[in-house]
Amino acid sequence: MKQFIARFEDRIQGTLSGFDRVVFRGSLRRLAHSQGMKMYLIQNGILCKQYQDHVKQVSQDLKEASLEPFRREQLPIRHLHDPRTDKDEIARAMATERGISRGNVCALTAMELCPTFQHEKTTMAVRWRPNLVIYHYQIDPQFGWCHARIQTWFPFYIHVCINGREWLARRLDEAGIRYCRQQNTFPWVEDCPRAQELFDEQLRVDWNQSLQPFAERLNPLHAEIFRKFSTQYYWSAFQCEWATDVLFRPGCLARLEPLLLRYGLLNFSSADVLRFLGKQVRLDGSVPDWVTGEIATSLKSRIVGDRLKHWLQGNSLKCYGKAHTPVGDVFRVETMTGNVSIFRTYRPKEGGPEGQLAWRQMRLGVADLHRCSEVSQKANNRYLDAFAAVDDTTRFQELIRPLEQPCRYGGRSRPRPTPFSSRRPCLVDRRPSWRVCAQRISQPRSTTAVVCGIPNSSGVRTETALRGSAS
């Protein structure tokens, strides 16, 4: 990232790096497999033929207990018939309508495919079936706007979704640092170095302790259900987005962003994507034979702007302009890790002696979340440094922009020439031949000559002068 900052230092206000969207998954590891479920039934004295009636009763009791706080506070509880509905948008609309600024907001339920168990004679098998799931939306005093989800059938998987920028906003308020915020982006921060110090405090959070209250609110009956079969939630970072925001001065990103995205699309190869994510490539720059799977790159145009994204074995790296405001612009680079097994961490073997450290496969568990953030930050740094080679010199279209002015001749208004408009003949033919089509610019105010060199179909660079005579 140092090369990128050095290249555009006069346009950059600061940088912020930290967690963006993180989805934590809570799983009962002792129960998450077929033998674990069978042991639960044995220890509770439940026959396999009684399994269906038992889990239906437990599911109903869990649903009533989980929704009871919302009924008591007279908060909305809504069932969504289409699980693809934007739940976050619905919850935010309810919070705005009721003026809720802290605590519980609403509860949403839906039928979604989840892994559960099905008895087959005297054995248990894992099957994906439609389950009732419950979403708790709330404004947490520590994490801000977030939601937690639980499936009401065994093995009661939990998902907790937080946003690191929500967390940072509360820390900035406590520290008295002024900032401008647009959704989950900060286009301007009064003290970026101090804000980064507060952001780094996320890496010292005890996630097991912080996430346990979400599980207790989702399933108040946990202790009763597992009275004879003790088990606790194991927390893992199911999906983790680590974002680096480069805060540009107002108006500086509007011209630079398209150049950066175009440069990345045309110049970054599969070997470059491997290198960005910390993987070794051959000395000649080719992809090694051990690489399996697909490396993909796409440039997508959205309503909010364009986005360049690369995929590698369940992980992704992307960049896009996030905010364009009067106080600053934001260019965001983001690494999303969904398959951390391709990375390594220096740790002891799970369940082994603490002193036997070695480079081992990274785990999804929150114990390796700090190392995951290091890997992601290094990927962002390499990605940004690769953009330092972009050519941001004046383009031909910008050079002739002064010519595109309306004028009056013979008492009549003349339309301004638009050589790059699709509605008028172009000075530059956009066909593959790359030829120059000379067009007379009629009646300009002053004599102007523009000379451009463009390769023709034979690959030879030609020069053409475009002239107009003064009136």
Side-chain angles (χ1 to χ4, degrees):
M1 185 166 59
K2 293 181 179 179
Q3 297 178 25
F4 184 84
I5 294 176
R7 172 70 189 280
F8 304 105
E9 185 176 7
D10 57 332
R11 314 179 205 180
I12 294 176
Q13 304 181 80
T15 62
L16 286 175
S17 296
F19 291 117
D20 188 36
R21 177 177 173 270
V22 184
V23 179
F24 295 97
R25 180 177 182 176
S27 57
L28 302 172
R29 300 177 79 181
R30 194 180 174 195
L31 189 71
H33 51 91
S34 57
Q35 291 299 318
M37 186 64 207
K38 187 172 183 179
M39 186 59 64
Y40 166 84
L41 296 177
I42 292 173
Q43 293 191 8
N44 284 272
I46 302 171
L47 301 177
C48 285
K49 63 182 181 181
Q50 299 172 327
Y51 165 78
Q52 199 77 5
D53 295 333
H54 174 73
V55 296
K56 285 183 178 179
Q57 185 60 48
V58 171
S59 176
Q60 184 62 31
D61 294 343
L62 188 154
K63 175 185 174 182
E64 296 298 325
S66 183
L67 298 178
E68 176 58 29
F70 294 88
R71 293 194 179 99
R72 187 171 58 250
E73 298 175 24
Q74 297 183 348
L75 294 172
I77 300 174
R78 180 184 299 182
H79 180 75
L80 304 177
H81 297 283
D82 185 357
R84 296 170 296 180
T85 304
D86 190 339
K87 304 173 185 66
D88 190 79
E89 181 180 353
I90 294 175
R92 289 185 183 274
M94 291 180 178
T96 302
E97 179 183 352
R98 292 174 171 262
I100 300 174
S101 59
R102 60 181 179 180
N104 291 330
V105 175
C106 67
L108 304 177
T109 62
M111 296 295 292
E112 298 180 2
L113 278 177
C114 303
T116 185
F117 300 102
Q118 178 179 342
H119 74 89
E120 297 178 354
K121 296 183 179 179
T122 59
T123 61
M124 304 300 299
V126 178
R127 296 287 185 268
W128 284 78
R129 298 181 57 185
N131 283 207
L132 179 72
V133 296
I134 301 176
Y135 288 84
H136 286 188
Y137 280 87
Q138 56 189 293
I139 303 177
D140 188 80
Q142 179 183 7
F143 297 110
W145 181 271
C146 59
H147 76 262
R149 165 194 179 272
I150 186 172
Q151 67 177 70
T152 58
W153 279 54
F154 287 87
F156 306 124
Y157 282 116
I158 287 177
H159 291 85
V160 179
C161 181
I162 68 169
N163 193 292
R165 268 57 181 178
E166 287 274 351
W167 185 93
L168 178 61
R170 276 150 181 76
R171 298 293 290 118
L172 292 175
D173 291 337
E174 294 173 3
I177 299 176
R178 295 183 300 163
Y179 61 88
C180 176
R181 180 181 175 187
Q182 185 183 72
Q183 296 179 350
N184 66 333
T185 312
F186 299 89
W188 176 82
V189 179
E190 183 181 26
D191 188 350
C192 282
R194 176 56 180 156
Q196 185 61 60
E197 292 178 3
L198 297 175
F199 220 168
D200 292 339
E201 292 179 5
Q202 285 184 336
L203 300 176
R204 297 188 288 272
V205 172
D206 186 344
W207 293 107
N208 286 304
Q209 183 178 355
S210 299
L211 295 172
Q212 188 58 33
F214 290 95
E216 295 173 356
R217 288 192 292 266
L218 285 168
N219 185 7
L221 305 180
H222 179 88
E224 179 182 344
I225 295 172
F226 299 103
R227 183 176 64 257
K228 299 180 181 180
F229 185 80
S230 179
T231 181
Q232 298 297 327
Y233 277 101
Y234 172 83
W235 295 100
S236 57
F238 188 63
Q239 287 183 350
C240 179
E241 295 177 351
W242 182 273
T244 297
D245 290 346
V246 182
L247 281 58
F248 281 86
R249 301 187 188 282
C252 291
L253 191 59
R255 176 180 178 275
L256 185 60
E257 180 187 348
L259 301 179
L260 294 173
L261 298 181
R262 178 180 175 83
Y263 179 82
L265 179 66
L266 298 180
N267 292 275
F268 294 161
S269 64
S270 296
D272 290 326
V273 176
L274 284 172
R275 183 175 57 83
F276 296 152
L277 292 172
K279 298 300 178 182
Q280 293 183 350
V281 297
R282 290 176 175 172
L283 293 177
D284 60 358
S286 60
V287 178
D289 295 335
W290 59 263
V291 177
T292 59
E294 183 180 69
I295 301 174
T297 294
S298 77
L299 177 63
K300 183 177 182 179
S301 296
R302 307 169 299 172
I303 296 177
V304 295
D306 296 338
R307 180 269 294 151
L308 178 65
K309 189 172 184 179
H310 316 272
W311 289 270
L312 171 65
Q313 298 176 336
N315 306 295
S316 66
L317 182 63
K318 61 182 176 181
C319 65
Y320 53 96
K322 182 64 177 176
H324 301 274
T325 67
V327 295
D329 303 336
V330 174
F331 184 72
R332 172 170 290 182
V333 169
E334 182 179 295
T335 298
M336 191 282 291
T337 51
N339 176 25
V340 298
S341 61
I342 68 172
F343 303 115
R344 294 293 181 265
T345 180
Y346 196 65
R347 62 175 179 86
K349 184 178 180 180
E350 187 171 357
E354 291 293 329
Q356 295 183 0
L357 301 176
W359 286 103
R360 307 180 192 276
Q361 189 178 77
M362 189 183 294
R363 302 163 295 184
L364 282 172
V366 293
D368 289 347
L369 189 57
H370 190 283
R371 171 60 180 166
C372 181
S373 67
E374 290 181 353
V375 171
S376 300
Q377 182 60 50
K378 290 179 180 179
N380 290 353
N381 292 344
R382 298 186 194 101
Y383 196 42
L384 281 171
D385 283 341
F387 281 112
V390 68
D391 179 16
D392 64 335
T393 55
T394 304
R395 269 33 184 186
F396 178 67
Q397 184 177 3
E398 298 171 334
L399 185 65
I400 68 171
R401 190 167 294 161
L403 300 178
E404 300 178 0
Q405 302 295 331
C407 64
R408 294 186 64 83
Y409 177 76
R412 297 178 60 185
S413 176
R414 300 288 182 175
R416 66 186 183 91
T418 54
F420 283 92
S421 173
S422 60
R423 300 180 181 178
R424 295 180 178 274
C426 292
L427 288 175
V428 179
D429 190 356
R430 293 179 178 143
R431 289 174 294 178
S433 59
W434 289 84
R435 293 178 301 169
V436 174
C437 299
Q439 173 189 356
R440 182 180 177 84
I441 304 177
S442 60
Q443 316 304 340
R445 290 179 178 272
S446 58
T447 302
T448 308
V450 179
V451 180
C452 62
I454 300 178
N456 58 18
S457 57
S458 61
V460 180
R461 193 172 182 84
T462 60
E463 292 188 354
T464 302
L466 311 177
R467 299 181 180 274
S469 59
S471 57

